[in-house]
Amino acid sequence: MKNKKYLIPLSILLTMSIAGCGTIHKTSNDTQDNHHETISQDSNEDSIKDVPLLGISLNYEKVSIEQGKSVSLIVSYSPSDASNKEVTWSSSDESIATVSYGKVKGVSIGSAVISATSLDGNYVASCIVTIIEAEEGTIYEHCIRAIEKSLNFGENGLPKIGSGDWNDGFSTVGNKGKGESVWLGFFLYNCIDLFEKVLKKYDKDFDTTKYENFNEKLKDNLNKKTWDGSYYLRAFFDNGDPLGSSENTECKIDLISQSFSIISGVAPKNRLEKAITSVEEQLVDDKLKIIKLLTPPFSKTLNNPGYIMNYPEGIRENGGQYTHAVAWYLMALIKAGYYDRAYRYYQMINPINRTKTKERVDKYKVEPYVIAADIYSSTEFPGRGGWTWYTGSAGWFYRVGVQDILGIKQRGDKLKIDPKIPIAWDGYKATYNYK
């Protein structure tokens, strides 16, 4: 209703103005004895854009869980900025599996279909949840099973990413069963390499040939198929398109692929140096004093990577600093011999150093005595701290400080001291209580 004329008392007019009822235009009307004024109101309804929902999907199409355990189903919306993002959840058989706000709990052995339905009923996404009998085993047996289950590869000879790897926000990169994770390739290589050493020490009868051959092939695939010229890719979508490539308009580079290419020992020396240079040039932000997880953030890419796009640009995993990943980068720098740089970044992230002045406090806005899970890079909130008291990065930063920089490591009943301290230090003193 545009430019419609009303006679409204001035008191009501003031109430409307405070409540924000659109733009009010008034014209005096001297013929009114009761001091009413003639006004016109321009509705702002036309300026509100309703983005229609075109579809929904879940992070799993099929999943198995043990009886009594739970799994979380996450909805991805198309488009990611759809106005209505509410769904209702249902189970085809609540005697087998129940669901509440996407969290599915296994009740009894069998299968049930868990569905998410848009409020208008036009779109439904479903997942077949199979409840299996719980088993018991040793930690050693669990490790063997975990590795064996991970030996599931795609077209490039890399581990499949499924509905996300470490970054669970990549929930639709490989949810159709074909997408691959480059980072997971480095991580798996590292896990198998370390586990081989355990096997040779504690189970000498175990034939490690299979794992050795596997790692040799995996290393070859990582270096032949995931090198982008100056750094390593992050993943491949179900359709085969790369993620974390210079060819992308969003997420041209991702931090953790570079870090684990070094930590795992897969990257040769010349590529190691190029990967570090790329991180320094594209992900380290000296002005905001952060190291971004990826850049540029996701916004409009046609290859929807998942619910990471639901975060605003520069917030949390979507282009902000994710501190957990920074700890891994510091470990990579130390392994590559960049001790001073690693220590400088360690102090840069240290919350005490982010709150030394009132100006810094006003920008950071969270506690100065705990590690923040994330720090924003967005133009609206540059340098603001995110979640605190709820982050595994606190433990990782403690580990980097004690084990990687100071070099104090306990292995069984032995204590190893192998410092990687800055060149400006003469040394340090530490008190260790042996139990």
Side-chain angles (χ1 to χ4, degrees):
M1 51 183 185
K2 289 188 176 181
N3 298 321
K4 189 171 183 178
K5 302 294 183 179
Y6 295 92
L7 288 177
I8 302 180
L10 186 58
S11 61
I12 297 178
L13 173 62
L14 292 173
T15 302
M16 290 177 64
S17 299
I18 294 171
C21 296
T23 303
I24 306 298
H25 303 284
K26 67 176 182 178
T27 57
S28 61
N29 187 344
D30 296 334
T31 64
Q32 299 293 326
D33 293 335
N34 57 4
H35 303 293
H36 287 187
E37 298 184 40
T38 303
I39 66 169
S40 63
Q41 179 179 6
D42 287 345
S43 170
N44 62 358
E45 293 176 357
D46 292 341
S47 65
I48 301 175
K49 295 182 179 179
D50 182 55
V51 180
L53 182 66
L54 301 179
I56 60 175
S57 61
L58 296 176
N59 54 330
Y60 294 108
E61 293 181 356
K62 295 181 180 180
V63 66
S64 297
I65 58 174
E66 292 183 352
Q67 186 177 6
K69 298 297 179 65
S70 299
V71 65
S72 292
L73 298 182
I74 300 169
V75 181
S76 292
Y77 302 88
S78 178
S80 60
D81 60 346
S83 300
N84 189 347
K85 290 186 176 181
E86 294 186 53
V87 297
T88 58
W89 293 91
S90 62
S91 170
S92 64
D93 191 339
E94 293 192 343
S95 68
I96 293 176
T98 60
V99 60
S100 177
Y101 297 100
K103 186 174 183 179
V104 181
K105 184 176 181 179
V107 178
S108 61
I109 309 301
S111 294
V113 178
I114 304 298
S115 299
T117 305
S118 60
L119 287 187
D120 58 13
N122 291 334
Y123 302 101
V124 179
S126 299
C127 173
I128 300 174
V129 179
T130 301
I131 313 303
I132 59 177
E133 186 177 355
E135 296 183 70
E136 293 183 356
T138 65
I139 293 176
Y140 173 76
E141 289 170 337
H142 275 281
C143 289
I144 295 291
R145 286 197 182 189
I147 291 175
E148 292 294 330
K149 187 172 180 62
S150 300
L151 307 183
N152 180 24
F153 314 112
E155 292 182 1
N156 294 293
L158 304 174
K160 292 184 178 180
I161 190 172
S163 298
D165 48 24
W166 171 84
N167 192 338
D168 48 358
F170 286 160
S171 54
T172 56
V173 172
N175 63 323
K176 295 180 181 178
K178 294 183 178 181
E180 299 164 279
S181 171
V182 176
W183 167 79
L184 189 57
F186 293 124
F187 183 76
L188 180 58
Y189 179 95
N190 193 49
C191 288
I192 291 177
D193 185 54
L194 294 173
F195 196 62
E196 280 182 43
K197 297 177 175 64
V198 173
L199 290 171
K200 290 176 180 178
K201 183 174 183 180
Y202 295 102
D203 190 354
K204 296 180 180 179
D205 294 331
F206 191 98
D207 186 1
T208 61
T209 304
K210 174 183 176 180
Y211 291 157
E212 291 168 359
N213 292 340
F214 167 79
N215 256 12
E216 183 179 347
K217 182 62 176 177
L218 178 57
K219 183 176 183 178
D220 188 57
N221 289 337
L222 286 164
N223 277 313
K224 285 184 177 179
K225 299 180 179 180
T226 74
W227 181 248
D228 198 52
S230 298
Y231 50 84
Y232 288 94
L233 303 174
R234 177 61 175 85
F236 291 96
F237 286 93
D238 281 314
N239 62 7
D241 289 348
L243 175 61
S245 167
S246 57
E247 298 177 359
N248 299 138
T249 56
E250 299 169 4
C251 189
K252 287 178 172 288
I253 181 174
D254 187 286
L255 179 61
I256 64 172
S257 280
Q258 319 320 315
S259 299
F260 265 87
S261 72
I262 299 167
I263 293 171
S264 65
V266 170
K269 179 68 174 176
N270 63 324
R271 290 186 174 181
L272 176 155
E273 297 294 342
K274 287 183 178 180
I276 290 176
T277 298
S278 296
V279 170
E280 297 294 318
E281 291 177 349
Q282 300 186 55
L283 296 174
V284 175
D285 188 325
D286 288 317
K287 183 178 180 181
L288 295 182
K289 299 188 182 305
I290 63 173
I291 303 176
K292 301 173 184 177
L293 178 61
L294 57 86
T295 198
F298 294 103
S299 175
K300 300 177 182 177
T301 179
L302 295 179
N303 275 326
N304 188 332
Y307 79 80
I308 188 173
M309 282 187 69
N310 294 343
Y311 291 124
E313 296 174 49
I315 302 296
R316 293 184 60 75
E317 291 101 323
N318 194 17
Q321 172 179 293
Y322 211 75
T323 313
H324 189 164
V326 175
W328 288 340
Y329 182 56
L330 302 188
M331 293 170 65
L333 286 175
I334 291 169
K335 183 166 184 176
Y338 291 97
Y339 307 155
D340 280 24
R341 190 180 302 181
Y343 180 71
R344 177 163 62 88
Y345 291 153
Y346 191 89
Q347 292 294 68
M348 181 178 80
I349 304 303
N350 188 333
I352 288 292
N353 294 326
R354 304 190 74 89
T355 53
K356 285 187 173 181
T357 66
K358 185 179 185 303
E359 181 183 9
R360 291 184 184 180
V361 169
D362 290 342
K363 174 181 283 189
Y364 191 51
K365 291 188 180 296
V366 294
E367 301 92 334
Y369 41 81
V370 290
I371 289 284
D374 54 302
I375 303 176
Y376 306 158
S377 68
S378 68
T379 54
E380 294 86 356
F381 310 107
R384 178 179 293 189
W387 286 4
T388 55
W389 296 107
Y390 186 64
T391 170
S393 58
W396 277 102
F397 259 73
Y398 180 83
R399 176 175 173 175
V400 169
V402 174
Q403 295 190 5
D404 294 281
I405 296 177
L406 299 182
I408 302 174
K409 298 180 181 179
Q410 181 184 345
R411 294 292 182 266
D413 59 353
K414 296 180 175 60
L415 190 66
K416 182 179 180 181
I417 310 294
D418 184 20
K420 302 292 190 296
I421 58 178
I423 193 171
W425 287 20
D426 293 327
Y428 68 84
K429 293 181 179 180
T431 301
Y432 174 76
N433 294 320
Y434 182 76
K435 61 181 180 179

